[in-house]
């Protein structure tokens, strides 16, 4: 913005900005403008009135002041906008086709800098910003902004009820949360297995696609004019192999629209961090896994010109190798470039607080009801230094409890009406209402 301000200041001081120019007669030998001879006048080289660049600079300043980070697609739109702005002050060929009154107004410099700024800002607001909002920020950048605002203390800690399919994703989005997490425990359970890595990378990727679709459909229903799907962090487990597999995992989740990917240091096959029997790989291998994930994030940006998913580095070594080893791993993960860290299974407030003090960057607290870690209020977690709080099994456990109660009532021959939603509400939750509206929109007479 400072650079743009300087450009405008120089152009104003040099009288190059919006300076009126005297009109000159068109040459009688100019055959290309025979139809306009004697009716219009042309200008010498240079311009009068605001040009496309002037309006474009004003528009850029306007956008800078409202803190919009543009995707490449949005920049292309601004390129289109500059062409549209050029219509406000046409080239000499177009000016010859203008009516004399319009030419006289422009030649007198009637458009002041202030009116031009208002015009440019208005055009951006009316023509371009709706399309930029529709494009939105890429999911990793939306997540980054959310976490950064929490880290600075400008926003409360980010609460993440964890999802595992399209329906739970829709429910979280409809409930007004800013971010969510796709839990491997939930995905495994929904497919009828415990969280012991019995499901494959391909199956996890299928669920990531389902979650992304659920979040997108909910965003379109909640705000059809400016839909913004909430970002989701995906569970990448151990990366499903060596460091090269880790990179493929990150790339796959990025293509599915995930805002972040969690990679952990357990030995494969891994398991839930709050159950017995887990073990971790050595320190060097763990660090190389995270390095590979960070490289994949950066490669994705180089390939496609948009931010790759943020990397959440998790360690389970606290249980197996002690607190100091776990802190050492988290610090090393940060050194090789991870965006967020996750110390699994701290057993006390003191451990949680010390972890936040000794490890830099954004941090995740895992609020598993009945697990090893104390369940603390969000405000207390944020005061310790946590940026996010995940609730990995709340939706899964609540749904299991509700289904069991309903099954017991059915088994006993009793009514389930008090346990379920009205049919109309169920239809609305799963998307029938939106579908019907879309169906009517594209209806045609056969």
């Amino acid at each position: 913005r400072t650079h743009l301000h300087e450009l405008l200041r120089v152009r104003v001081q040099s009288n190059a900005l919006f300076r009126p120019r005297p009109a000159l007669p068109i040459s009688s030998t100019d055959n290309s403008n025979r139809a306009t001879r004697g009716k219009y006048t042309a200008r010498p080289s240079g311009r009068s009135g605001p040009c496309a660049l002037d309006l474009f600079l004003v528009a850029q300043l306007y956008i800078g002041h409202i803190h919009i980070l543009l995707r490449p697609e949005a920049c292309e739109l601004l390129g289109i906008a500059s062409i549209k702005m050029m219509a406000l002050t046409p080239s000499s060929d177009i000016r010859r086709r203008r009516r004399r009154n319009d030419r006289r107004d422009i030649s007198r410099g009637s458009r002041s800098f202030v009116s031009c700024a208002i015009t440019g800002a208005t055009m951006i607001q009316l023509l371009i910003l709706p399309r930029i909002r529709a494009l939105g920020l890429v999911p990793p950048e939306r997540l980054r902004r959310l976490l950064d605002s929490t880290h600075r203390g400008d926003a409360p800690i980010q609460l993440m009820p964890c999802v595992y399919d399209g329906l739970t994703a829709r429910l979280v989005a409809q409930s007004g949360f800013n971010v969510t997490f796709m839990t491997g425990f939930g995905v495994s359970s929904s497919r009828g297995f415990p969280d012991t890595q019995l499901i494959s990378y391909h199956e996890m990727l299928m669920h990531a696609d389902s979650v992304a679709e659920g979040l997108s459909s909910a965003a379109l229903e909640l705000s059809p004019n400016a839909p913004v799907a909430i970002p989701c962090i995906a569970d990448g487990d151990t990366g499903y192999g060596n460091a090269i597999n880790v990179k493929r995992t990150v790339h796959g989740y990025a293509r599915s629209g995930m805002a972040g990917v969690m990679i952990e240091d357990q030995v494969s096959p891994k398991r839930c961090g709050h159950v017995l029997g887990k073990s971790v790989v050595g320190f060097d291998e763990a660090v190389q896994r995270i390095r590979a994930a960070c490289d994949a994030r950066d490669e994705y940006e180089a390939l496609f010109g948009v931010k790759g998913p943020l990397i959440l580095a998790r360690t389970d070594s606290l249980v197996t190798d002690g607190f100091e080893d776990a802190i050492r791993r988290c610090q090393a993960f940060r050194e090789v470039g991870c965006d967020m860290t996750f110390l699994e299974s701290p057993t006390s407030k003191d451990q949680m607080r010390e972890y936040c003090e000794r490890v830099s960057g954004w941090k995740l607290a895992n609020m598993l009801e009945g697990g090893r870690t104390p369940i603390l209020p969000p405000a207390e977690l944020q005061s310790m230094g946590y940026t996010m709080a995940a609730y990995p099994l709340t939706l899964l456990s609540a749904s299991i409890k509700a289904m069991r109660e309903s099954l017991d009532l059915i088994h006993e021959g009793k009514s389930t009406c008090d346990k379920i939603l009205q049919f109309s509400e169920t239809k609305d939750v799963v998307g029938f209402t939106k579908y019907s509206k879309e169906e009517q929109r594209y209806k045609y007479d056969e």
Side-chain angles (χ1 to χ4, degrees), residues 388-399:
M388 303 165 283
Y391 298 82
L393 300 184
T394 306
L395 294 184
L396 177 64
S397 298
S399 62

Side-chain angles (χ1 to χ4, degrees), residues 420-434:
I420 64 175
L421 299 174
Q422 295 292 326
F423 182 50
S424 59
E425 189 173 354
T426 301
K427 290 192 297 180
D428 187 55
V429 168
V430 301
F432 267 101
T433 303
K434 174 66 174 178

Side-chain angles (χ1 to χ4, degrees), residues 217-238:
S217 64
L220 287 166
E221 293 172 20
L222 293 170
S223 184
N225 294 327
V228 177
I230 67 173
C232 178
I233 302 173
D235 190 346
D237 293 323
T238 61

Side-chain angles (χ1 to χ4, degrees), residues 318-331:
L318 188 152
V319 174
T320 60
D321 296 274
F323 183 74
E324 286 301 322
D325 184 79
I327 293 296
R328 178 173 171 243
R329 291 187 181 219
C330 288
Q331 291 171 340

Side-chain angles (χ1 to χ4, degrees), residues 235-239 262-266 270-271 273 281 286 289-290 312-316 333:
D235 190 346
D237 293 323
T238 61
M262 183 179 76
I263 300 294
E264 60 190 77
D265 60 0
Q266 280 197 49
K270 57 88 60 184
R271 60 190 63 206
V281 299
R289 275 188 190 175
I290 303 305
L312 171 59
R314 163 180 161 176
T315 182
D316 287 75
F333 295 162

